[in-house]
Amino acid sequence: VDMVKEINYIGIKHPELPPYFGQIDGLEKFDAQFFRVTKGQATSFDPLARKIMEESYSAIFDAGINPETLKGLKLGVFVGSSLSDSTTINLYEVFKLNGFVISGKTMIANRVSYWIDGKGPSYCLDYACASSMACLEIAYQRLKAGDCDTALVGGCIHSMNPVLTLNMKRAGLLCADGKTKCFDKNGDGFVRSDAINMLFLQKAKDAKRTFRCVNRRTEYKITGISEADGNELDAVGRFFGEGKPIKVGSIKSNMGHTQPVSGACSLTKIGLTDVLKSMDLFPDKIIGHSLGEIACAYADCCLTTEEAILVSYFRGITSIETKLIKGKMAAIGLGHKKVRDLCPPEIDIACRNSCESTTISGPAQDIDKFVAYLTSRSIFTKAVASNNIAFHSRYMADAGMFFLFCILLFFKNKIFSKINHKLCKQFISGPILLAKMKEFLKDPKTRSKKWLSTCFLPENWTNAICQYASPEYFTHNILNTVYFEETAKFIPVDAIVIEIAPHGLMQAIIKRSHVNCIHVPLTRRDEKDNVLFMLKAIGTLYQAGLNPDVDAIYPVVDFPVSTETPVLSHFVEWDHSEEW
């Protein structure tokens, strides 16, 4: 990261002035109203004092603390600042405007303490390039002594006047190419840079964000001058002991030399079902489409999480490992009766979706020919991704037997890891299969009345096979037609319809057949942020009259949080509409 840029010194041209600088943008911006600062005061403030207040707020906010809760407590403020051109310039420029000046380095720290009503020590230190590090050391000692319970530590510098820059260049301290070459034999100086940094220190027992522990790593002054850097590294080696590895670093190569501030710079459906349950959102009715029947079984408490996952797995693995024809599936923009009248005998009706939507399944070459024929008649068609498998058709028979045996074996003995697929296939063709079914069959759970089946037509819901979430039920599902159109008629006209799927495929169909319902998909394919999409969906459910317990979807936080926890301060948006 290179934070140095080429600049022009306004009104000054001098051949010896380096054209490179690490400059802060937006110093003239300040959210005066938020910090309860009057216009006259904000105008007279040193720019560094204004920005230190915003950075202090951000540092506290990043620690997971509400700054308002620190009012009246022993909060110390320690700011390192040495030569700062803005202080001197501000003294004269502001005086010309209103004759009233609030300046001086001490005020930089004092203003923060006044704003937050901190009762701990508050002052600026000038230890030249070690200023902010000295502040960190003193803050640590004050915390140990009990003078303060928390502390804001940092530093600031703003180099507006090029006179000092020119003098430093003549002294051989600054490079001409804008590159601070730390630990480099070609190092020829550093680039001056502005910076404002604040850290929030807490005792470990009070911290919500874990403190960082660094072993044998040190941050050095490093000027980018080869001889000086070499001398510093030699001193480090002698102090820490020769022969021991020491990690060294310097941020100056990235941002230039900030002088007093330098020390401070450094399984979808099942899961979604659980999300709804955790928020106390329980459906009046549940309907599954194809594989969605397994999710219904889980939501209806007929399958455990483990069972639901493994039934899904068996469905997939048996479809892949069984020798099947090369199949295809396609969606047609006609009702199933019209499709049946047009359909060649080699193709089956896989899904009866609605009065104007049907999915067909069969051999790939036959599907291709039929789709081409329909397209020539301007009838809507769209390929359905099925991995060359003709689901919900007669061509799944062998896979269905394999699937049935696998889940029977699992439900009876829970020996998934020991299942031999080749052995399973041997049972498919002989009379042994029936005997094994009876031997391994485990008592399945009864489906509740809220689970509306799409495996069977409504008039057949009283049949014995439809009463239970059994291996036979799920096998029937993989082999036969999905009767979604008929089952969807039981959805009330004013219902809130939540689609739980990796993508809201059924939304378009349900919206046309149930125009007065509120339709809420929880996810969407190719969505950049599906978590945000789901949270918006939860908001839609709230607006529709439901009362989701949103707190339940967030984990209980144990403090302090890990160092990998993202920071929060970028969520703070300051009102920078005015310039000061």
Side-chain angles (χ1 to χ4, degrees), residues 289 353-354 484 499 501 503-511 519:
H289 188 285
N353 302 317
S354 73
F484 187 81
E499 183 168 359
H503 179 62
L505 290 173
M506 304 305 295
Q507 285 295 297
I509 293 172
I510 301 175
K511 283 180 178 179
H519 306 276

Side-chain angles (χ1 to χ4, degrees), residues 268 272 275 279 501-502 521-540 550 553-555:
T268 306
L272 291 175
V275 168
M279 293 188 294
L522 294 186
T523 57
R524 183 167 61 193
R525 186 172 56 234
D526 299 327
E527 181 67 31
K528 291 183 179 179
D529 190 341
N530 257 307
V531 173
L532 180 60
F533 185 87
M534 186 192 70
L535 291 174
K536 289 181 177 179
I538 294 171
T540 301
V550 180
I553 65 175
Y554 293 96

Side-chain angles (χ1 to χ4, degrees), residues 1 110 166 246 268 320 500 508-509 527 577:
V1 179
N110 293 169
L166 180 59
I246 304 295
T268 306
I320 294 172
I500 303 175
I509 293 172
E527 181 67 31
S577 57

Side-chain angles (χ1 to χ4, degrees), residues 278-304:
S278 68
M279 293 188 294
D280 287 334
L281 295 179
F282 296 95
D284 297 306
K285 303 292 180 182
I286 52 178
I287 301 174
H289 188 285
S290 185
L291 183 63
E293 286 279 62
I294 300 174
C296 281
Y298 174 77
D300 201 34
C301 299
C302 294
L303 295 179
T304 65

Side-chain angles (χ1 to χ4, degrees), residues 11 25 105 117 193 223 250-251 323 382 384 394 417-418 472 474 477:
D25 295 324
K105 289 187 292 185
D117 193 21
S193 182
T223 59
S250 178
I251 200 171
K323 187 176 181 179
K382 184 178 181 180
V384 174
R394 74 193 89 160
S417 61
K418 298 181 181 179
E472 291 86 352
F474 297 117
N477 170 254

